[in-house]
Amino acid sequence: MPLSTDQHPCARGDRCKARTITVIDGQRQAVPAWTYRTYCDPCRDHVGTTLADLPAMYVRVHGELGNRTGGGERVTVSKTPPVPLSLGVDALLREVVTVLLSWEERVRDVARLTTLDTLASRRRPDGALLDGACRLLGAHLDALLALAPGPMLRVKTIPQAASLPPGTRGVVRPGAGYAEVILDLCGADAGGEILRLHARCAGLLTETRAPARHLPVPCDWCSYAELYEVLTWDGRPDGARCRECGYEYSDNEYTLLRGRVYAEETARAGAYPRRRLVVAEYGGLSGRTPAGSAVVPDNDERMTA
């Protein structure tokens, strides 16, 4: 894949995996890594890992179709027997497949691969189509992320369509509550869509989990003790998020922050030794604190009466 002749910030901006924290005019700011590609190497690898994870996540989300915790309006498709479905889950599943297949078509075109057989694709289950798309996109990840802007069809809600720039082409279907729009999307948009769809699926799967655990470390940005754990969709630690300022820490960033805070606390404890209560032994006073008790530093010898 050809590289740009000039470096530029990673397309993920302040969510870049290789971002650094810089103080500018007294304010702490997240600065994305500089790269010759669309994404820096850590973010590129993150998109690749997300692609590989999507098929298994799709299966899990599909299992939530009849779950009462699924988002969106519910509908019964028959009376005997009733089959309740979550429209929110169904819409998300359709969007995942549609978006990934659209990027597969573009990559097949630029990589000069065999064109998708539309008729044959319609006969295959959506899960199989998604699995094939993720495998192909993962194998041609650099080609995907280097795509130039090109027209692509996307389905938006009416409010989302209304917020698009003036002149955006498309068809509004008020009765159905959505609009079909044509957007110029590039490789950076591909990575962003893949990561957002993965995050939405993960959010749906974690709706029934216990509340996020509060972490005993203050935020490095705002100094408030409002850090809460972030888990992956399958329950693995994935960093932390501050509920005061909204800053998100990667798992590695939170580990470094926690280690630094604990080291500072240990240094302070060393400068001011803890004091403990030393009770002199008095005969016949078991179970009572004698008046002759003394408080001494830990490193002093025990005092006796």
Side-chain angles (χ1 to χ4, degrees), residues 55-66:
M57 181 173 284
Y58 177 90
V59 174
R60 288 279 302 277
V61 173
H62 194 278
E64 299 293 320
L65 269 174

Side-chain angles (χ1 to χ4, degrees), residues 50-150:
T50 301
L51 272 172
D53 199 34
L54 265 178
M57 181 173 284
Y58 177 90
V59 174
R60 288 279 302 277
V61 173
H62 194 278
E64 299 293 320
L65 269 174
N67 193 326
R68 294 180 180 274
T69 60
E73 181 184 355
R74 297 174 60 79
V75 62
T76 299
V77 298
S78 64
K79 294 183 179 180
T80 53
V83 183
L85 298 177
S86 169
L87 292 181
V89 174
D90 183 60
L92 177 57
L93 291 172
R94 292 176 182 274
E95 184 177 358
V96 170
V97 174
T98 301
V99 169
L100 269 294
L101 289 180
S102 69
W103 288 115
E104 180 187 5
E105 289 182 359
R106 287 202 58 186
V107 169
R108 282 181 176 274
D109 182 50
V110 298
R112 299 181 181 180
L113 302 175
T114 305
T115 305
L116 279 175
D117 187 333
T118 306
L119 182 59
S121 296
R122 290 176 179 173
R123 297 172 181 170
R124 299 178 62 193
D126 285 350
L129 291 174
L130 177 65
D131 185 66
C134 289
R135 288 177 182 273
L136 184 139
L137 294 175
H140 298 82
L141 184 58
D142 290 328
L144 170 68
L145 300 180
L147 286 173

Side-chain angles (χ1 to χ4, degrees), residues 143-262:
L144 170 68
L145 300 180
L147 286 173
M152 301 185 73
L153 177 67
R154 289 292 181 265
V155 176
K156 302 289 184 181
T157 63
I158 301 298
Q160 288 174 339
S163 65
L164 293 174
T168 301
R169 296 171 295 164
V171 177
V172 179
R173 305 185 186 279
Y178 70 89
E180 296 174 338
V181 297
I182 304 296
L183 302 176
D184 285 330
L185 303 179
C186 63
D189 299 308
E193 284 192 332
I194 291 168
L195 295 175
R196 282 192 294 273
L197 288 173
H198 185 278
R200 288 173 57 191
C201 290
L204 186 144
L205 290 174
T206 56
E207 283 182 355
T208 57
R209 278 199 196 145
R213 183 170 58 94
H214 181 257
L215 301 174
V217 176
C219 176
D220 204 27
W221 277 75
C222 64
S223 300
Y224 281 88
E226 288 295 327
L227 283 187
Y228 286 79
E229 67 177 350
V230 174
L231 301 176
T232 61
W233 64 277
D234 55 354
R236 290 178 287 113
D238 195 33
R241 183 178 186 277
C242 179
R243 293 187 178 179
E244 177 65 27
C245 67
Y247 187 80
E248 296 183 2
Y249 296 81
S250 67
D251 190 40
N252 184 57
E253 284 180 324
Y254 174 68
T255 300
L256 293 175
L257 172 62
R258 182 182 60 187
R260 177 165 58 81
V261 171
Y262 286 175

